[in-house]
Amino acid sequence: MSGYVRTLAERARAASLVLAALDGAERAALIGAMAGQLDAQREAILAANAEDVARGEAGGLSAAMLDRLRLDPPRLAAIAAALREVAAQPDPLDGVTRSETRANGLIIERQRVPLGLIAMIYESRPNVTADAAALCLKAGNAVLLRGGSEARASNAAIAAALHAALRERDLPEAAVSLIEDTAREHVLELLQLSDLIDLAIPRGGESLIRFVAEHARVPVIKHYKGVCHLYVDRAADLDLALNLLVDGKASRPGVCNALETLLVHQDIAPAFVPRALAALSGRGVQVRGCERIRALASDSGIDVAAADDSDYAAEYLDLIIAAHVVDDLDAALAHIARYGSDHTEVIASEDPAAADAFVRRTRSSAVMVNASSRFNDGGQLGLGAEIGISTTRLHAYGPMGVESLTIERFVVRGAGQVRHPESMNR
Amino acid sequence: MSGYVRTLAERARAASLVLAALDGAERAALIGAMAGQLDAQREAILAANAEDVARGEAGGLSAAMLDRLRLDPPRLAAIAAALREVAAQPDPLDGVTRSETRANGLIIERQRVPLGLIAMIYESRPNVTADAAALCLKAGNAVLLRGGSEARASNAAIAAALHAALRERDLPEAAVSLIEDTAREHVLELLQLSDLIDLAIPRGGESLIRFVAEHARVPVIKHYKGVCHLYVDRAADLDLALNLLVDGKASRPGVCNALETLLVHQDIAPAFVPRALAALSGRGVQVRGCERIRALASDSGIDVAAADDSDYAAEYLDLIIAAHVVDDLDAALAHIARYGSDHTEVIASEDPAAADAFVRRTRSSAVMVNASSRFNDGGQLGLGAEIGISTTRLHAYGPMGVESLTIERFVVRGAGQVRHPESMNR
């Protein structure tokens, strides 16, 4: 270990104490100033980004990767606008969340405090540099950012703008610390710093998440895959179910809250499956089905490939869906328990008892009754901006907004109460 | 790895799904039945405990360890009574914690679900076997218990009683799984099972906690040490401060919420320190002080050893306290930031501005204004029974009651809403 990341983290940790002492208005003004600096330093950021894009093109990055990497004036303006939205959100550290007076007169309050220092480990998209910094600062945390090597010039230019805003308000630049050397050994070093880092959030592909989970001695909240299911119950409204299927699979197949598997109750399968296959086929979606799905397909003259176990476990992130006819709700729940990833599950049903059983017996981060899986998103669920969608069932589960970057602690207000008053005879 | 613990954990994981599907009344009745079985199997449990105690005596366990290990009829009755109290607590999984209707008509609810499978790793005291099982089950979780080797017969006998209660209610025994073979390699195996275990809680001495933190790939909430401070402000009521000092240090020095360091504002030190030293000395407490403390002590004819850095960082868990005169509140806060363990801090002050600054600028799990550090305890803070006091600033910080053994997730109720309605033209 070189100590390079430890030094950065020690400075960021010290800065976190300064951040935590600011009030909500000061933190909001800082984030607003950061948006202003992103606007002011537009030329420098776009030039740095052009450098990354040119290196990416020369290095053979895919068109999709290049698109995620590329900034232009509207995209940069959107990043600044997102920061202004974060600045305008309510202060997550404001006030007392719960209060109780005990029989002995003690007032027990709970209030939120920052986590401290958050390490964000992410890939390609340079907007994460600004978004993650703003969300962490909004909640009074310092942040240690490690972006991908393909975006290193863009990330450095964005960080320089954020630093200018910190300097102009006499705050330590280390509150937003960028690990500019993207060698993987530095990630390894970061993951060992359990005395300095309160939380690491890996956000990216499967190999990044696995690397972090394997090596971390700091607390980690994973943003992992979504194998999301739509269960069309015997009592489903078929038009409604069809809308949920098309929106869930075809509106944006590359995201974690897209559908990956369709489960259909056997009683309704003859009526629903042919319509579902036609709608999916019309959107260019390939279907991999069980024997009963394939039989219904061939009756309709549609060709469906045979699904196997690996299809039911797959996060395709593509215009492909697995489809399976189940005997009943129990069988649907058993399928989800076996193959699901605890991300998002949907039931289409007009039967409240079936819907309640489905909600009660799934434990995913979000369960939707007659609503699209695509609503599992911080903005859609009313949290404002999100730092990602947690698939770790600890601290935060589902979309993580600014409140998830704080922790509740206890403040006790007394008038001299002691635990053993009988021994106070002085 | 032998796979011994994996097999146990797989069964416990399967049992967790059965537990999660029970309603609150069923979970409460189960815990009540467990209390009944502890009463019914009293003879067997006490005989097993006598075996552990005899082995401990032969093996040279300290008197304190033997005392923690020993059960007798009143202690066993107290364990059963504690279980009945847990059974009677409100259901942590009941109802909706927050609800909001969005502009598109979606109803966004948040509700608590169990974490899943919790591994509890602890030492000597056999009551933890029953307490931890009851708290985990109350919140709908299964539990994997790994107690200390010195208590293995007691733990097995208590687990047998808990299993009898599960059997009599047709529930899987694996909901409470005891790792009977206490070889440390099995703890190592347990800590790798990130596909099965949702949370590991180590509770015990420094070496156990370090071992778990070093090796865990599962999420861990540590119950670590308390280097707790009392700051006596310039504006303190001295009688009140003296009560907090004596209660905090001397009422039960071996617990994590006992005081370890006294900080005194220089303006009040001449009036307070001599009284403090006399009171501490009267309780048999040794003081290790800075130069200014020692000067005031020698004026009073009391002998105080010189404190060094290691004293300020120490968790004595004994009748010893470090004492330090500080220039002002800022210096007190700097001392706490440098040496504290984020557990519990106390200010004695009649000045609301000083108290507010102290609260705002410390980030410990509990901050007490004019109240004893000994109140940082689940029962005292109104949580009911606690599984321990978390020093991890994630998920739960401070005392962990049953609510901390759950996680909030999202339930979305709609009428067919989709994210991209414009593309629904079928």
Side-chain angles (χ1 to χ4, degrees):
Chain A
M1 298 291 162
S2 66
Y4 159 66
V5 178
R6 172 168 283 281
T7 304
L8 281 178
E10 281 169 351
R11 286 182 199 145
R13 178 85 177 180
S16 77
L17 301 177
V18 179
L19 262 286
L22 299 182
D23 67 26
E26 290 166 326
R27 278 177 273 114
L30 168 62
I31 296 163
M34 288 178 159
Q37 285 290 346
L38 288 177
D39 289 338
Q41 303 197 21
R42 195 177 70 159
E43 298 310 321
I45 295 168
L46 292 176
N49 183 250
E51 209 182 286
D52 283 335
V53 170
R55 202 180 53 249
E57 282 170 342
L61 276 193
S62 71
M65 290 280 276
L66 284 169
D67 181 63
R68 292 169 71 196
L69 178 57
R70 189 173 282 118
L71 295 175
D72 55 23
R75 283 187 176 182
L76 194 51
I79 296 175
L83 259 54
R84 291 189 175 96
E85 273 177 38
V86 170
Q89 276 193 271
D91 179 7
L93 305 177
D94 187 37
V96 167
T97 54
R98 303 189 231 187
S99 180
E100 182 194 356
T101 303
R102 305 283 298 167
N104 60 4
L106 283 182
I107 300 166
I108 315 293
E109 296 175 355
R110 286 191 239 187
Q111 55 171 230
R112 294 200 185 92
V113 289
L115 295 176
L117 175 57
I118 298 174
M120 189 80 202
I121 305 161
Y122 54 103
E123 290 172 340
S124 53
R125 288 192 300 174
N127 66 299
V128 176
T129 305
D131 291 350
L135 286 164
C136 289
L137 295 174
K138 178 76 182 178
N141 302 288
V143 65
L144 191 56
L145 298 163
R146 195 280 194 182
S149 59
E150 66 288 353
R152 63 176 177 262
S154 312
N155 289 337
I158 290 171
L162 305 181
H163 289 160
L166 285 158
R167 275 200 310 276
E168 96 194 7
R169 305 186 70 81
D170 278 330
L171 293 167
E173 288 185 17
V176 177
S177 293
L178 180 69
I179 301 177
E180 296 205 34
D181 181 342
T182 56
R184 195 161 256 205
E185 68 183 86
H186 297 315
V187 179
L188 207 54
E189 185 184 353
L190 182 162
L191 294 172
Q192 311 305 307
L193 302 177
S194 56
D195 55 330
L196 296 171
I197 292 173
D198 295 289
L199 173 63
I201 303 179
R203 186 173 146 180
E206 190 149 343
S207 101
L208 173 71
I209 306 257
R210 277 189 195 280
F211 182 83
V212 170
E214 291 266 307
H215 294 102
R217 287 194 191 166
V218 301
V220 171
I221 291 183
K222 285 180 267 195
H223 293 183
Y224 203 30
K225 68 183 177 184
V227 179
C228 307
H229 298 79
L230 166 62
Y231 167 59
V232 180
D233 184 46
R234 160 164 65 180
D237 174 321
L238 295 195
D239 289 334
L240 183 157
L242 214 50
N243 281 345
L244 301 187
L245 174 63
V246 170
D247 189 64
K249 182 69 253 184
S251 66
R252 204 169 159 205
V255 293
C256 61
N257 60 20
L259 289 176
E260 302 293 3
T261 300
L262 168 67
L263 301 172
V264 185
H265 191 291
Q266 61 178 349
D267 291 358
I268 210 164
F272 184 70
V273 170
R275 291 182 63 190
L277 295 176
L280 290 167
S281 161
R283 306 285 170 147
V285 179
Q286 287 177 41
V287 179
R288 301 187 186 168
C290 67
E291 283 314 306
R292 290 194 274 185
I293 293 278
R294 298 180 78 202
L296 290 163
S298 92
D299 292 351
S300 322
I302 302 176
D303 187 44
V304 167
D308 61 22
D309 264 19
S310 71
D311 289 302
Y312 296 133
E315 187 191 33
Y316 294 116
L317 297 174
D318 202 349
L319 288 170
I320 307 171
I321 194 167
H324 187 62
V325 173
V326 292
D327 287 353
D328 53 20
L329 177 62
D330 281 350
L333 290 164
H335 183 102
I336 292 169
R338 176 160 177 200
Y339 296 105
S341 67
D342 286 343
H343 196 289
T344 312
E345 321 304 343
V346 182
I347 181 172
S349 180
E350 302 301 309
D351 172 6
D356 282 356
F358 188 83
V359 168
R360 205 175 57 247
R361 293 174 59 195
T362 48
R363 294 186 303 163
S364 300
S365 78
V367 187
M368 313 290 182
V369 177
N370 295 327
S372 173
S373 63
R374 298 287 330 285
F375 288 111
N376 190 1
D377 168 277
Q380 297 295 323
L381 297 183
L383 305 183
E386 65 175 36
I387 202 157
I389 296 181
S390 163
T391 54
T392 293
R393 210 196 326 262
L394 198 76
H395 185 72
Y397 193 31
M400 287 183 73
V402 286
E403 192 183 299
S404 299
L405 302 174
T406 68
I407 181 81
E408 260 188 1
R409 59 98 175 248
F410 294 84
V411 176
V412 178
R413 300 182 193 274
Q417 285 89 339
V418 295
R419 188 88 182 260
H420 294 280
E422 71 285 358
S423 63
M424 288 299 117
N425 53 333
R426 281 170 294 104
Chain B
M1 298 293 164
S2 66
Y4 160 64
V5 178
R6 172 168 284 279
T7 303
L8 281 178
E10 281 169 351
R11 286 181 200 147
R13 178 85 177 180
S16 77
L17 301 177
V18 179
L19 261 287
L22 298 181
D23 67 28
E26 290 166 326
R27 279 179 272 115
L30 168 62
I31 297 164
M34 287 177 161
Q37 285 290 345
L38 288 177
D39 290 337
Q41 303 196 22
R42 195 174 71 160
E43 298 310 323
I45 295 169
L46 292 176
N49 183 251
E51 210 181 283
D52 283 334
V53 170
R55 200 179 56 247
E57 283 169 342
L61 275 193
S62 72
M65 289 280 277
L66 284 169
D67 181 61
R68 294 169 70 198
L69 178 58
R70 189 173 281 116
L71 294 175
D72 56 23
R75 284 186 175 185
L76 195 50
I79 295 174
L83 259 54
R84 290 187 176 98
E85 274 177 37
V86 170
Q89 277 193 272
D91 179 6
L93 304 178
D94 187 35
V96 168
T97 54
R98 304 189 230 186
S99 180
E100 183 194 355
T101 303
R102 305 284 297 167
N104 60 5
L106 283 183
I107 300 166
I108 316 292
E109 298 176 352
R110 287 192 238 188
Q111 58 170 227
R112 295 200 185 92
V113 289
L115 295 176
L117 174 59
I118 298 173
M120 190 81 201
I121 305 162
Y122 55 103
E123 290 172 339
S124 51
R125 287 193 299 176
N127 66 300
V128 175
T129 305
D131 290 352
L135 285 163
C136 290
L137 295 175
K138 179 75 181 178
N141 301 287
V143 64
L144 192 56
L145 298 162
R146 194 281 192 182
S149 59
E150 65 288 353
R152 62 175 178 262
S154 312
N155 289 337
I158 291 170
L162 305 182
H163 289 160
L166 284 159
R167 273 200 312 276
E168 97 195 5
R169 305 186 69 82
D170 278 330
L171 293 166
E173 288 185 19
V176 177
S177 292
L178 180 68
I179 301 178
E180 296 206 32
D181 181 342
T182 57
R184 197 161 256 206
E185 69 183 84
H186 297 316
V187 179
L188 207 55
E189 184 184 354
L190 182 161
L191 294 172
Q192 311 305 308
L193 302 177
S194 57
D195 55 327
L196 296 171
I197 292 174
D198 295 288
L199 174 64
I201 302 179
R203 188 173 148 180
E206 192 150 341
S207 100
L208 173 71
I209 305 259
R210 276 188 196 280
F211 182 82
V212 170
E214 292 266 308
H215 294 101
R217 289 199 189 161
V218 301
V220 171
I221 291 182
K222 285 182 266 199
H223 293 181
Y224 203 30
K225 68 183 177 182
V227 180
C228 307
H229 297 80
L230 166 63
Y231 166 59
V232 180
D233 184 45
R234 157 165 68 178
D237 173 323
L238 296 194
D239 289 336
L240 183 158
L242 216 51
N243 280 347
L244 300 188
L245 175 62
V246 170
D247 190 64
K249 180 71 251 185
S251 67
R252 206 171 157 202
V255 293
C256 60
N257 60 18
L259 289 177
E260 302 294 1
T261 299
L262 168 67
L263 300 172
V264 185
H265 191 291
Q266 60 178 350
D267 293 356
I268 211 165
F272 183 69
V273 170
R275 290 181 65 189
L277 295 176
L280 290 168
S281 161
R283 306 286 169 144
V285 178
Q286 287 177 41
V287 179
R288 301 187 185 167
C290 68
E291 283 315 306
R292 291 194 274 185
I293 292 280
R294 296 182 79 204
L296 289 164
S298 92
D299 293 350
S300 323
I302 302 176
D303 187 45
V304 167
D308 61 20
D309 265 19
S310 71
D311 288 302
Y312 296 133
E315 187 192 32
Y316 294 117
L317 297 175
D318 202 350
L319 288 169
I320 307 173
I321 193 166
H324 187 59
V325 173
V326 292
D327 286 352
D328 53 19
L329 176 63
D330 281 350
L333 290 166
H335 182 103
I336 292 169
R338 177 160 175 199
Y339 297 105
S341 66
D342 286 344
H343 196 288
T344 312
E345 320 305 342
V346 182
I347 181 171
S349 181
E350 302 302 308
D351 173 4
D356 282 355
F358 188 84
V359 168
R360 205 175 57 247
R361 292 173 59 194
T362 48
R363 295 187 303 163
S364 299
S365 79
V367 187
M368 311 291 183
V369 177
N370 295 326
S372 173
S373 63
R374 299 286 331 287
F375 289 111
N376 190 0
D377 168 276
Q380 297 294 323
L381 297 183
L383 304 185
E386 64 176 35
I387 203 157
I389 296 181
S390 164
T391 55
T392 292
R393 211 197 325 265
L394 197 77
H395 184 74
Y397 193 31
M400 288 182 72
V402 285
E403 192 183 299
S404 299
L405 302 175
T406 68
I407 182 80
E408 259 187 2
R409 58 99 177 247
F410 293 83
V411 176
V412 177
R413 299 181 193 275
Q417 285 89 339
V418 296
R419 189 88 180 261
H420 294 279
E422 71 284 357
S423 64
M424 286 300 117
N425 55 333
R426 282 170 293 101

